[in-house]
Amino acid sequence: MSNNRKSGVLIFILLGGFLSCSSEKMPLKPWVQSNGPFGGFIYSIAFHHDKVFAGSNGGGVFVSNKKKDDWVEINRGLTNKTVNSLAIMGNTLFAGTQRGIFVSDVENPDWKLIHSFFEDAICFSLYIDSMNIYAGTNKGLYLISLNESTWQLQSLNLETEVYSVIARGSELLAGTSGIGFLYSKDKGKTWDQLNGGLGKLSIYSLAIHENTIFAGTLGGGVFVSPEKGQYWLDAGLKNEYVYALVNHENTILAGTNTGVYSLSESNKNWVPLNKGLSNPYIFSLTANDNTLFAGTSGGGIFVSDTNGDPWKKFNSGLKNTYATVMISNGEQIIAGTNGAGAFISSDNGNHWDEINIGLDNPYILTLCMKGSALFAGTNGSGIFVSSDKGAKWQAANNGLENLYVYSLAQSEGAIFAGTLGSGIFISKDNGRSWEKSNTGLAQLNVGSLKIKGNSVYAGTFNQGIYLSTNGGESWKPWNSGLSELAVFSLALGSENIFSVISGQGVFLSSSEGQKWMAVNSGLSNKQGLSLAAKNKKIYLGTYGNGVFVSNEHKINWYQNNMNIENKEIYSLMINDDYVFAGTNDSGIWKQSTGN
């Protein structure tokens, strides 16, 4: 997957290492994947008769009846689950992944690597032409063909990253990373680089209408060439990242970072087709008969039987969500996701209902409740408030100078909001207005907030922890005992305060934060992401090594990953007799903590 594919999503990806546990054992129960929330990062879509297949970021391949919305994973044998491209030839399904190209029977999915050459190759695109498969990879462009049940591989003389490819007879068209458009008239024996008039040289998508070529670029919109690339004209959508182009019924459709657009002979200007598209960041776009399917960045799949006006979600069973945050009011659990918005469950995660009416930004970074009011902090649209448990939302940004809200916390008289770059804001009127509160705060990137009595703790990304004991009027650093100062998470135990420090593991304070000490027994690598504490237990979510658990008063960490498939744990929450873990590509998992 190219790094550009997530350029529109401002989420910190925190790198880590491997953790292990001590030889002692704590009795732990298996994790079970929750039935939702549904959504995900969908990079590719393909069809076979009444079936539709979706390739996801980290969740592998899903299949559904194209009329029923009933997605199921089909990943047996698929050793890499980031699927950038899908293609179908006859009854054979091909998946181009972040590490290799795999092949499976459509009716009985069982994946196998197509050729050992592709074991470490990133496959960006697949194109079927008759009985040939063209694969655009980070190693160049290759032709794959079947010879007496053996897949044969042929290099097509391009040693560059190939994002997109189209074959027409003896002609090959290739969109590349950084060197623009390449054209071959002799099936790849020789190539011409044809970039006259191209404003951007990274071409992610290609389409043809009659003899006119359309090229979708990363950050430069669409360019068009009526002469096989001999010259290019700016076709609009300036500054857009155009991840997909489709020729559908003589109309060119573009999937971009701001939605779907159409261009036709009758309307020579791009027309937005975004009604019902609650997540407009489009990674994949395709047409089947009279139905359009759009794969989004975190919001899953949308479908339209009316040429994109409107769209509706098609996500049932699609458990590829990135669960960023979870909270509980004692009766319900509310979850925020990266791209699919907010969800609520009244039965401890067995079922989830979407609660996104009025929530204009589906990228939720933080949640909190104050009385009957529910607050959501988003990645770029500020804060939204709901007075009816998420049934309806409205923006609450009066006085909020920064709309990237990474943390929220509430006290009896105020709500605190930590932002990326502008510090802390406080509302004393339930979100109707906000005032900046940064006196003494030297670091303005605030990723975590916790309140204990009259003390407000703020975790920053490179200046450690700050404390306010006067309602946020002033702050002071509170870092004694901390050797590194990038704080990823804070949690309140029954008596202690816990913090996760980048690369340093978990720290504990039994003195209201006056002094911190490392508590890492059982952790061989100390890269944590999330914390949750309740009933004298503390849970740690890590990057790459899943969940660890310890008793609060005698810290000794035990790895706690039975059955959990995704080991990147970005959120944790404890409710009743369950602990919930939010992952970056397989939704939410839960584990019973009861006897």
Side-chain angles (χ1 to χ4, degrees):
M1 177 186 66
S2 164
N3 289 333
N4 291 303
R5 292 187 85 159
K6 285 198 174 181
S7 61
V9 184
L10 185 61
I11 297 292
F12 280 101
I13 304 298
L14 309 171
L15 300 178
F18 295 96
L19 295 111
S20 63
C21 61
S22 70
S23 59
E24 299 179 42
K25 298 295 181 181
M26 177 182 284
L28 299 169
K29 296 185 178 181
W31 291 88
V32 177
Q33 191 175 23
S34 177
N35 188 34
F38 297 139
F41 295 80
I42 306 302
Y43 292 161
S44 50
I45 301 172
F47 299 93
H48 184 265
H49 301 316
D50 61 346
K51 293 182 178 180
V52 55
F53 298 87
S56 71
N57 174 47
V61 179
F62 294 79
V63 62
S64 171
N65 183 291
K66 65 182 182 182
K67 297 294 184 182
K68 293 183 179 179
D69 189 12
D70 55 359
W71 295 99
V72 177
E73 288 184 24
I74 50 167
N75 291 328
R76 186 170 63 182
L78 193 66
T79 57
N80 188 283
K81 294 184 180 181
T82 295
V83 182
N84 299 321
S85 52
L86 290 170
I88 295 175
M89 177 193 292
N91 291 318
T92 303
L93 176 61
F94 301 86
T97 76
Q98 198 74 356
R99 290 185 66 85
I101 300 174
F102 293 80
V103 61
S104 171
D105 182 79
V106 167
E107 300 298 335
N108 300 292
D110 188 5
W111 297 96
K112 293 178 175 58
L113 187 68
I114 199 169
H115 196 288
S116 60
F117 175 81
F118 291 118
E119 280 183 333
D120 59 349
I122 303 172
C123 181
F124 299 109
S125 59
L126 293 169
Y127 187 89
I128 303 292
D129 177 44
S130 184
M131 296 302 292
N132 295 319
I133 309 152
Y134 295 89
T137 76
N138 64 323
K139 294 184 174 184
L141 182 63
Y142 293 86
L143 172 64
I144 305 170
S145 57
L146 188 61
N147 183 11
E148 295 182 354
S149 75
T150 301
W151 294 103
Q152 302 294 321
L153 181 67
Q154 177 186 344
S155 172
L156 294 177
N157 304 309
L158 281 186
E159 296 181 358
T160 186
E161 287 191 350
V162 177
Y163 286 156
S164 51
V165 59
I166 291 178
R168 275 202 326 181
S170 62
E171 296 178 309
L172 292 176
L173 318 177
T176 70
S177 171
I179 64 172
F181 177 78
L182 298 174
Y183 172 79
S184 174
K185 62 183 178 182
D186 52 16
K187 297 185 178 180
K189 293 179 181 178
T190 60
W191 292 89
D192 293 320
Q193 188 176 7
L194 304 173
N195 292 330
L198 271 177
K200 289 282 185 178
L201 297 181
S202 286
I203 299 175
Y204 211 89
S205 51
L206 291 168
I208 295 180
H209 175 58
E210 296 177 347
N211 289 316
T212 300
I213 304 170
F214 292 82
T217 69
L218 294 178
V222 178
F223 290 81
V224 60
S225 175
E227 294 291 339
K228 297 182 181 180
Q230 294 299 319
Y231 65 89
W232 294 90
L233 302 172
D234 189 339
L237 296 180
K238 280 186 176 296
N239 303 318
E240 298 287 324
Y241 286 73
V242 184
Y243 295 110
L245 287 171
V246 177
N247 183 356
H248 175 57
E249 297 180 345
N250 296 319
T251 296
I252 298 297
L253 300 173
T256 78
N257 58 311
T258 62
V260 178
Y261 298 84
S262 70
L263 184 70
S264 64
E265 289 292 335
S266 60
N267 195 330
K268 297 184 181 298
N269 294 315
W270 291 99
V271 176
L273 301 174
N274 294 331
K275 185 178 179 181
L277 204 60
S278 57
N279 186 323
Y281 204 107
I282 308 300
F283 279 153
S284 53
L285 185 66
T286 189
N288 180 256
D289 298 326
N290 294 317
T291 304
L292 301 177
F293 286 78
T296 69
S297 172
I301 294 174
F302 291 77
V303 63
S304 176
D305 296 319
T306 52
N307 291 319
D309 185 21
W311 297 87
K312 61 182 179 181
K313 287 188 176 177
F314 197 77
N315 284 340
S316 182
L318 197 61
K319 302 176 185 178
N320 182 230
T321 41
Y322 182 159
T324 52
V325 60
M326 294 172 285
I327 62 171
S328 171
N329 63 6
E331 297 178 356
Q332 290 103 2
I333 301 168
I334 298 96
T337 69
N338 184 22
F343 296 79
I344 191 168
S345 173
S346 300
D347 56 5
N348 265 325
N350 293 326
H351 302 89
W352 295 86
D353 294 316
E354 185 180 322
I355 48 171
N356 288 329
I357 295 175
L359 194 61
D360 294 338
N361 188 322
Y363 297 95
I364 311 298
L365 302 179
T366 180
L367 293 165
C368 84
M369 294 197 74
K370 182 173 173 58
S372 61
L374 176 61
F375 294 83
T378 69
N379 188 40
S381 297
I383 295 170
F384 291 80
V385 62
S386 172
S387 59
D388 50 14
K389 297 180 180 178
K392 292 182 181 179
W393 298 84
Q394 61 182 9
N397 294 327
N398 183 29
L400 192 67
E401 299 173 10
N402 188 308
L403 300 182
Y404 294 88
V405 181
Y406 273 59
S407 50
L408 289 167
Q410 62 88 21
S411 65
E412 183 176 343
I415 305 163
F416 294 77
T419 68
L420 182 68
S422 297
I424 295 172
F425 292 79
I426 298 177
S427 174
K428 297 180 180 180
D429 54 11
N430 232 29
R432 287 187 290 274
S433 63
W434 298 87
E435 292 183 1
K436 190 180 288 186
S437 170
N438 290 336
T439 301
L441 194 67
Q443 165 55 240
L444 300 182
N445 295 318
V446 181
S448 49
L449 288 164
K450 289 295 178 184
I451 298 176
K452 184 177 183 181
N454 293 323
S455 298
V456 184
Y457 299 87
T460 70
F461 287 135
N462 60 20
Q463 289 291 326
I465 297 167
Y466 284 78
L467 171 69
S468 175
T469 56
N470 54 13
E473 291 183 14
S474 62
W475 301 86
K476 58 184 176 182
W478 214 236
N479 295 324
S480 178
L482 297 181
S483 56
E484 296 291 335
L485 300 178
V487 181
F488 289 167
S489 184
L490 294 169
L492 302 177
S494 59
E495 298 176 5
N496 303 312
I497 306 169
F498 295 86
S499 62
V500 170
I501 309 298
S502 175
Q504 301 296 309
V506 181
F507 283 71
L508 173 152
S509 175
S510 57
S511 56
E512 306 297 323
Q514 294 183 53
K515 180 71 176 179
W516 296 91
M517 64 177 181
V519 284
N520 292 323
S521 176
L523 298 182
S524 60
N525 185 291
K526 306 177 181 68
Q527 187 62 67
L529 297 175
S530 52
L531 284 170
K534 194 173 182 179
N535 299 329
K536 298 183 180 181
K537 283 186 179 180
I538 179 82
Y539 291 83
L540 169 68
T542 70
Y543 183 92
N545 291 88
V547 181
F548 285 75
V549 62
S550 173
N551 292 316
E552 180 181 342
H553 296 293
K554 187 179 180 182
I555 302 296
N556 190 31
W557 296 101
Y558 300 87
Q559 202 160 29
N560 179 20
N561 290 332
M562 189 185 301
N563 287 0
I564 198 166
E565 294 179 4
N566 187 302
K567 302 301 191 297
E568 296 178 20
I569 311 299
Y570 283 84
S571 55
L572 286 166
M573 193 270 301
I574 302 169
N575 187 61
D576 295 334
D577 292 328
Y578 292 93
V579 58
F580 294 81
T583 70
N584 71 325
D585 58 29
S586 62
I588 293 172
W589 296 69
K590 71 176 186 178
Q591 180 188 57
S592 172
T593 61
N595 296 324

